Amino acid sequence: GEAPFPWASPPPADLRSAGSPEAFLAAAREAGVGGALVVQPANHMHDHSYVSEALKAHPTFFRGMGLANPTLPPEEAIAALEALHTA
């Protein structure tokens, strides 16, 4: 993927810019939407930098949902989720 958000598989070219938090935010505000849930995109797998960046840039508008990595041992999975929560 492209920095700073690595992809497990790239999205279609037309979605690369249309799928930005800023593009969504502009369309949502135009439609009168006051908030939204950002769900971890599957093409980023367990790299949550895209969702984290959106939450940091627009903390009053977005809430986030991540993906737990089922391949990690339980202790590492818990630590990874706790790190996301504090990020």
Side-chain angles (χ1 to χ4, degrees):
E2 295 176 7
F5 312 118
W7 297 319
S9 61
D14 59 336
L15 290 181
R16 292 180 192 173
S17 61
S20 72
E22 289 72 24
F24 178 81
L25 183 62
R29 285 192 171 146
E30 184 177 325
V33 175
L37 176 68
V38 180
V39 177
Q40 173 66 9
N43 59 323
H44 294 295
M45 296 294 291
H46 301 104
D47 179 313
H48 292 84
S49 56
Y50 178 86
V51 172
S52 295
E53 182 80 11
L55 296 176
K56 288 177 188 173
H58 307 284
T60 61
F61 187 83
F62 289 126
R63 296 294 180 260
M65 185 174 123
L67 297 175
N69 185 343
T71 66
L72 294 176
E75 296 80 19
E76 289 180 38
I78 291 168
L81 292 173
E82 287 175 342
L84 283 174
H85 185 260
T86 59

